[in-house]
Amino acid sequence: MPAGGFSGPAPSGVVFEAKITPLVVISCIMAATGGLMFGYDVGISGGVTSMPDFLSKFFPVVYNRVEDKKAHDSNYCKYDNQGLQLFTSSLYLAGLTATFFASYTTRKLGRRLTMLIAGIFFIFGVILNAAAQDLAMLIVGRILLGCGVGFANQAVPVFLSEIAPTRIRGALNILFQLNVTIGILFANLVNYGTAKIHPWGWRLSLGLAGIPALLLTVGSILVVDTPNSLIERGRFDEGKAVLMKIRGTKNVDPEFNELVEASRIAQEVKHPFRNLLKRRNRPQLVIAVCLQIFQQFTGINAIMFYAPVLFNTLGFKNDASLYSAVITGAVNVLSTLVSIYSVDKVGRRVLLLEAGVQMSISQVVIAIILGIKLKDNGNGLSHGLAIVVVIMVCTFVSSFAWSWGPLGWLIPSETFPLETRSAGQSVTVCVNLLFTFVIAQAFLSMLCHFKFGIFIFFSSWVLVMSLFVLFLLPETKNIPIEEMTERVWKQHWYWKRFMDEEDDEDRNAKKVGKISGYHNSQL
Ligand code: BGC
């Protein structure tokens, strides 16, 4: 890699000049705040819902159950409450609804304004949550935060891939996930501190989300929109000026022309979502949808959302529960670094398959310990066994963090062809949030009914997804996006059958000449 500069080949073979300019660095910071905000929201609810002050104010029924040592309720069912689950899950339901609008605003208003909209939703959501007097305020606040997540998770990755020089696009993608994990860890640390502040510590936990929210808002006011977006909206001169600024050179004509051409072709795709359903786009669609469903069915968010509650269920005292959640959060961050380091060396499949083994073993060990030792109405686990469970949870989290965590996002982003990438991104975010919602809403009830079997349930899914990887997921390591069709799909024993037939529409498009000329920075 040339010092201080990057260059990326275009599909046409032209090499564009591109340096890492201050603007590109600012966009990295943007990614940080978008990811941090998402991670903070994921991580904060678990600790808050295990704080007695919070429970007694909003969920007195759960509070009485948890506090009443002589209660007849099963250990596994203490926290089973639809309202409590709604507090966590409403965010994801709102988020997945918002992605449909976000796809529209990302195209019509631009990436920058869409991020600004996200920031404003976040700020109002945080205010309502931190000031909540009743359950309604709390849930409405979570819904506003969810809208923020929907808009941010659509616009930030698109913004990043368009602003980044081609060669660091993959790394930036995982950087987003790294920031999600830092957000989760930060939230756990905050909860650890605020749990000691009575009776309003939970307000501080929810209110501190204002920091990443403000950063995202101010950040999106300061940065420029991407050249792709400006060109898409007919602002050619501005687009060219921005391109010169972000690439740090006046020599941008080849890239500019490709962007104009790509945008012209993209505008010809009248129905991006219908296009996504075409036969030749099916492999990528199936893989993106399956990866997102599988990512959630690893059971990761059962841990991320409810670790403190889960550790409480196991008999840890409140403080120790949060402490364990902090350890889990730290393991998550560190293991994501492993992924950044190794994903382009050992490849996606090796990471996913290795993780499959590691995840299912740790889940089965947890299930066995809980099955034999955690009595329904007893006092939780012995100290030694509880520690083994924490270690197994860390083993599970670490393997998730170097596999399904980042790759669930990376693989769709590098396999969708350019004509469907924007619509593909919406579907990816939407399916992710839908299944995150399902887990958030169902986990505490599932824990109550399945008991320790919940871990067997998730480990069975890990088996299914590992088989999927083994047979159906092609390796995409080191393959330029524009060569995916030839080098990946047409070579794959199963997916190649989707590549040889052309739709009538494609044939016509080819006649007019252009389908294969998309530029790879047009998302
Ligand atoms: C997932 C989130 C999860 C996080 C944990 C992400 O890739 O999409 O649902 O909470 O990883 O680190």
Side-chain angles (χ1 to χ4, degrees):
M1 196 189 303
F6 287 87
S7 49
S12 54
V14 181
V15 174
F16 301 136
E17 228 182 286
K19 301 196 179 81
I20 297 187
T21 55
L23 218 56
V24 168
V25 174
I26 291 176
S27 70
C28 293
I29 297 169
M30 291 283 313
T33 53
L36 276 183
M37 189 66 209
F38 180 42
Y40 193 87
D41 286 333
V42 167
I44 206 70
S45 50
V48 168
T49 49
S50 73
M51 289 180 195
D53 293 326
F54 175 85
L55 286 178
S56 70
K57 187 166 174 66
F58 297 106
F59 301 96
V61 178
V62 183
Y63 175 75
N64 291 334
R65 239 191 270 157
V66 175
E67 289 301 300
D68 184 0
K69 302 279 180 294
K70 292 190 288 300
H72 294 300
D73 282 312
S74 147
N75 260 333
Y76 290 105
C77 297
K78 282 195 285 199
Y79 291 91
D80 176 18
N81 179 282
Q82 290 297 321
L84 192 63
Q85 291 177 121
L86 192 64
F87 167 72
T88 302
S89 70
S90 51
L91 187 149
Y92 303 93
L93 198 55
L96 76 93
T97 316
T99 44
F100 292 107
F101 298 96
S103 165
Y104 178 82
T105 59
T106 306
R107 250 179 302 132
K108 296 288 177 214
L109 303 179
R111 295 42 166 155
R112 190 179 78 98
L113 270 185
T114 306
M115 291 190 289
L116 186 61
I117 296 174
I120 292 169
F121 269 121
F122 280 140
I123 290 176
F124 282 106
V126 170
I127 294 174
L128 274 188
N129 263 350
Q133 295 303 325
D134 51 31
L135 194 57
M137 268 177 97
L138 207 59
I139 302 285
V140 173
R142 291 286 285 179
I143 290 175
L144 292 179
L145 289 178
C147 293
V149 167
F151 280 90
N153 283 21
Q154 167 82 16
V156 174
V158 174
F159 176 88
L160 278 176
S161 7
E162 291 178 343
I163 215 122
T166 319
R167 296 265 297 278
I168 56 168
R169 195 172 294 158
L172 273 186
N173 193 299
I174 297 194
L175 201 66
F176 185 77
Q177 169 72 13
L178 180 67
N179 287 303
V180 173
T181 61
I182 293 175
I184 296 175
L185 174 62
F186 183 54
N188 287 342
L189 286 169
V190 167
N191 278 340
Y192 185 55
T194 58
K196 298 183 176 59
I197 306 173
H198 301 288
W200 51 271
W202 61 271
R203 289 192 191 278
L204 194 56
S205 286
L206 298 178
L208 282 174
I211 297 175
L214 267 180
L215 287 176
L216 179 65
T217 312
V218 174
S220 47
I221 293 173
L222 293 182
V223 298
V224 286
D225 213 338
T226 66
N228 317 49
S229 177
L230 291 165
I231 293 168
E232 195 176 28
R233 288 175 288 142
R235 292 154 67 174
F236 294 96
D237 292 343
E238 250 177 283
K240 191 163 187 175
V242 168
L243 193 60
M244 289 180 184
K245 229 156 94 182
I246 60 174
R247 297 292 180 247
T249 170
K250 291 221 166 342
N251 180 22
V252 293
D253 280 350
E255 186 172 1
F256 178 72
N257 292 339
E258 287 238 8
L259 289 183
V260 171
E261 179 62 0
S263 139
R264 191 185 66 73
I265 295 164
Q267 313 248 335
E268 273 171 19
V269 177
K270 289 281 173 293
H271 306 284
F273 286 93
R274 203 185 295 161
N275 205 31
L276 201 56
L277 294 174
K278 282 195 184 150
R279 190 172 159 81
R280 71 186 146 80
N281 292 327
R282 204 137 335 131
Q284 299 89 335
L285 183 65
V286 169
I287 284 181
V289 169
C290 286
L291 285 188
Q292 288 296 348
I293 298 175
F294 289 153
Q295 187 201 55
Q296 292 307 313
F297 276 99
T298 55
I300 184 66
N301 280 326
I303 309 277
M304 289 299 142
F305 297 150
Y306 299 118
V309 166
L310 186 70
F311 288 128
N312 242 333
T313 305
L314 300 181
F316 285 78
K317 297 268 160 5
N318 216 329
D319 217 26
S321 307
L322 283 173
Y323 196 58
S324 312
V326 170
I327 297 176
T328 322
V331 167
N332 195 15
V333 174
L334 293 176
S335 307
T336 306
L337 293 175
V338 173
S339 185
I340 292 183
Y341 176 76
S342 57
V343 70
D344 289 321
K345 295 193 173 65
V346 301
R348 285 79 171 132
R349 283 168 53 86
V350 168
L351 285 176
L352 289 167
L353 290 172
E354 184 284 331
V357 176
Q358 197 173 321
M359 285 195 289
S360 52
I361 291 179
S362 42
Q363 283 166 327
V364 169
V365 172
I366 296 174
I368 292 173
I369 294 180
L370 300 196
I372 296 176
K373 291 292 178 191
L374 184 62
K375 296 284 167 290
D376 248 16
N377 300 309
N379 275 333
L381 294 178
S382 71
H383 187 65
L385 278 178
I387 289 183
V388 177
V389 171
V390 174
I391 292 174
M392 283 298 126
V393 169
C394 288
T395 311
F396 167 77
V397 169
S398 68
S399 47
F400 172 87
W402 62 58
S403 61
W404 288 92
L407 300 183
W409 295 105
L410 176 67
I411 295 174
S413 88
E414 64 185 8
T415 50
F416 276 116
L418 295 153
E419 55 181 307
T420 55
R421 203 169 305 157
S422 176
Q425 172 74 8
S426 305
V427 173
T428 305
V429 176
C430 193
V431 174
N432 178 274
L433 294 178
L434 174 65
F435 282 85
T436 309
F437 163 76
V438 169
I439 296 285
Q441 187 61 36
F443 177 69
L444 294 179
S445 306
M446 281 161 75
L447 182 66
C448 173
H449 291 108
F450 289 7
K451 306 196 165 46
F452 61 90
I454 184 91
F455 292 96
I456 301 287
F457 170 82
F458 285 128
S459 77
S460 314
W461 274 100
V462 171
L463 185 70
V464 172
M465 63 190 81
S466 299
L467 290 174
F468 178 87
V469 172
L470 193 61
F471 294 110
L472 291 173
L473 186 79
E475 180 58 67
T476 46
K477 174 183 82 164
N478 292 338
I479 304 206
I481 297 181
E482 65 275 17
E483 291 173 25
M484 286 291 168
T485 307
E486 290 301 319
R487 287 175 57 187
V488 173
W489 305 113
K490 287 194 175 171
Q491 310 300 327
H492 192 268
W493 71 273
Y494 180 71
W495 298 121
K496 68 177 175 203
R497 72 192 64 188
F498 290 86
M499 296 292 137
D500 40 27
E501 285 174 31
E502 288 184 16
D503 301 304
D504 287 349
E505 230 175 284
D506 300 341
R507 243 174 263 133
N508 293 339
K510 280 233 171 95
K511 266 188 224 142
V512 226
K514 288 294 179 204
I515 270 254
S516 55
Y518 287 90
H519 176 258
N520 71 357
S521 61
Q522 175 71 23
L523 210 99

